Structures are given as structure tokens and as C-alpha cells.
Amino acid sequence: MKWTRLSSTVAVYLVLVLGALFTLGPFLLSILTAFKTREQFAQQSALSWPDPFTLENFALLLNGPAQFGRAILITVLAAVLILVGQLICSILAAYAFARVDFPGRQILFWVYLSTLMIPPVVLVVPLYLMMTEAGLRNSFWSLVLPFAFASPYAIFLLREYFRGIPQELIDAARLDGANTLDVLVEIVVPLSRPIIATLTLITIVSHWNSFMWPLVVTTGTEWRVVTVATASLQSQFNGNWTLVMAATTLALVPLLVLFLMFQRSFVRSITIAGSA
């Protein structure tokens, strides 16, 4: 029995290690390539360590004609504004659907939630026409406004989380003279920090990696975001893969920092959801 358990444990860990290698391999390849010169990348194995390490790719990205630093700044500003708008609107809407009684609440919620079944690509043309008619095409606000309001996915998650908050807490606050907004700000939101942190991570990652809409609605380099700037490097610099990998490495760093910041809240929200 001991040998059977030991062999099964070794097999499980072997599968996990292989899975980790397949998952982390592309990231390792990207980082190694980013610190190589074009000559090293052409002459050495792709998995060889840079010898010597060089930062010229990052310097060319941030200070050269690629204007990658501007693309990072635009992406950060757009993602932050979208996050703030979505959190405010989604929290207000989710609390209304969860705790406020009004006629047609359930029907309105399920009709709104059904919009999740619409493929995002279907909305590209209508949104593009709206931005063009409003005179916002190829501007910073064309990157932000279509996504700066409530998200059906966020409202669904927040509504389910808000419904799990004990009604006794809200009733006690009501007895103390708190109005609806006071209850939301002082009680519901502080108790919902794990799910809000999870939504923060999901929202920023999804819009940080957004490619199709920024590619369609903007032209030139003025309002180029990280994903579009990275894709353009392949043609702009004749397939300089060390430069492309340096761009992907830079684009990955903010997401890693964000995940490390919200890791505990993210895991806690998954634990709470799984035990509910």
C-alpha cells in the first residue's frame, strides 16, 4: 500500500511539474529573449541564457521610435478609468438587484444578464459607428466610454455576493438611521472587498489585453495601446523578435504586480464562493 501511494503521489507531482513547464515555458522564453541582442538570438539556442545580459531592447522600446512608453501610459489610464466606471455602476446596480424591491426587478435582471450571450465581436461595428457619429473615433475616449459602465458579468457576481450578506446587518443599520447609500458604502462594500478585488483583477486584465477594439477604433501611434503597439513591432522593426519579446515582458510586469497585490483577496473570494 505504501509503494502504491508513493507511486501515485510521484505520478501526480510529475504531471503537475510537466504542466507547470508547459505553462511557464513561453514566459521564460520571452524573458530570456528580451535580454538578448539580435545577434545572440540568431546564433544561440532559444533557451540559452543571455551572455551577456543587455537592456538595449528595453531602452529602444522606451526611448526609440516605437513609443512603447506612451502606449503603456495610455493603456494604464484607459484601464483605470474603465475600472472605476465599471465598479461604481456595477456596485450600484448589483445592490439594487439584490436588496432593493421595485417592480420588474427579476425580469429586468435576467434580461440584462442575457446580454452576456451576445458575442463581443458583434458589437464592434455598432460601437464604431457610435464613436464616429459622436466625433470620438481615434481618440482616448473611444477606448474608454464603450466599456466604462456596468458589466453584466460584474453585476451578476456582485449581486450573488450581496445576497449572501446577512440581512440583520442591514436592518440594524436601518434602525440606526442609515439610508440606502449609507448601508451600501458603510456595510456592503467593506464586507465585499474580496469579490471587488477579484473584479478589479479581471477587469484590468481583460482590458489590458484588449486588442480588436483598439485596433479598429484608433489609427496611427497617438492612441496606440500595449497590445496594438506590440503587434506593430513585428512589421515596424522587420521581425526583431528580441524587441517583441521585450515588449511582451514589459506588458506582463504590471499584471504580475497587480496579481501579487490582490492575491489574498482573490483566493479568499474563490474560497468563499466555493463554500457558499
Side-chain angles (χ1 to χ4, degrees), residues 167-240:
Q167 182 64 34
E168 291 78 8
L169 293 176
I170 298 176
D171 293 338
R174 296 284 191 186
L175 291 175
D176 289 337
N179 56 33
T180 300
L181 188 59
D182 292 333
V183 171
L184 178 61
V185 174
E186 301 294 335
I187 297 177
V188 176
V189 171
L191 292 175
S192 305
R193 287 177 182 173
I195 194 65
I196 292 175
T198 300
L199 286 175
T200 297
L201 188 62
I202 293 174
T203 302
I204 291 183
V205 169
S206 62
H207 290 284
W208 184 273
N209 294 328
S210 178
F211 176 74
M212 177 176 290
W213 175 248
L215 179 66
V216 169
V217 80
T218 60
T219 57
T221 60
E222 185 177 7
W223 302 113
R224 183 177 288 172
V225 297
V226 165
T227 52
V228 178
T230 303
S232 66
L233 289 174
Q234 302 180 32
S235 58
Q236 185 178 358
F237 291 90
N238 297 322
N240 187 346

Side-chain angles (χ1 to χ4, degrees), residues 32-237:
L32 291 178
T33 306
F35 290 98
K36 294 179 181 179
T37 63
R38 295 187 66 178
E39 293 75 15
Q40 291 176 1
F41 180 72
Q43 297 173 4
Q44 300 176 4
S45 170
L47 294 178
S48 62
W49 289 93
D51 186 22
F53 278 82
T54 178
L55 297 176
E56 65 179 36
N57 295 312
F58 298 96
L60 181 59
L61 275 177
L62 298 177
N63 302 320
Q67 299 183 358
F68 201 78
R70 176 182 174 84
I72 292 177
L73 179 61
I74 291 172
T75 308
V76 169
L77 291 176
V80 169
L81 289 178
I82 291 172
L83 172 67
V84 173
Q86 283 202 9
L87 285 182
I88 293 176
C89 296
S90 298
I91 288 173
L92 292 174
Y95 184 77
F97 284 129
R99 296 293 184 177
V100 179
D101 291 326
F102 58 90
R105 181 182 67 173
Q106 293 297 328
I107 296 176
L108 182 60
F109 171 73
W110 289 110
V111 168
Y112 185 67
L113 190 65
S114 65
T115 59
L116 284 172
M117 294 185 292
I118 302 176
V121 68
V122 175
L123 303 177
V124 171
V125 173
L127 288 176
Y128 179 84
L129 294 176
M130 291 173 61
M131 293 297 105
T132 302
E133 291 295 326
L136 296 176
R137 189 182 68 84
N138 196 30
S139 68
F140 175 76
W141 294 110
S142 65
L143 299 172
V144 175
L145 288 180
F147 311 101
F149 301 99
S151 163
Y153 177 73
I155 289 177
F156 174 73
L157 287 182
L158 288 170
R159 174 182 177 268
E160 297 305 310
Y161 200 94
F162 291 169
R163 292 177 67 183
I165 296 176
Q167 182 64 34
E168 291 78 8
L169 293 176
I170 298 176
D171 293 338
R174 296 284 191 186
L175 291 175
D176 289 337
N179 56 33
T180 300
L181 188 59
D182 292 333
V183 171
L184 178 61
V185 174
E186 301 294 335
I187 297 177
V188 176
V189 171
L191 292 175
S192 305
R193 287 177 182 173
I195 194 65
I196 292 175
T198 300
L199 286 175
T200 297
L201 188 62
I202 293 174
T203 302
I204 291 183
V205 169
S206 62
H207 290 284
W208 184 273
N209 294 328
S210 178
F211 176 74
M212 177 176 290
W213 175 248
L215 179 66
V216 169
V217 80
T218 60
T219 57
T221 60
E222 185 177 7
W223 302 113
R224 183 177 288 172
V225 297
V226 165
T227 52
V228 178
T230 303
S232 66
L233 289 174
Q234 302 180 32
S235 58
Q236 185 178 358
F237 291 90

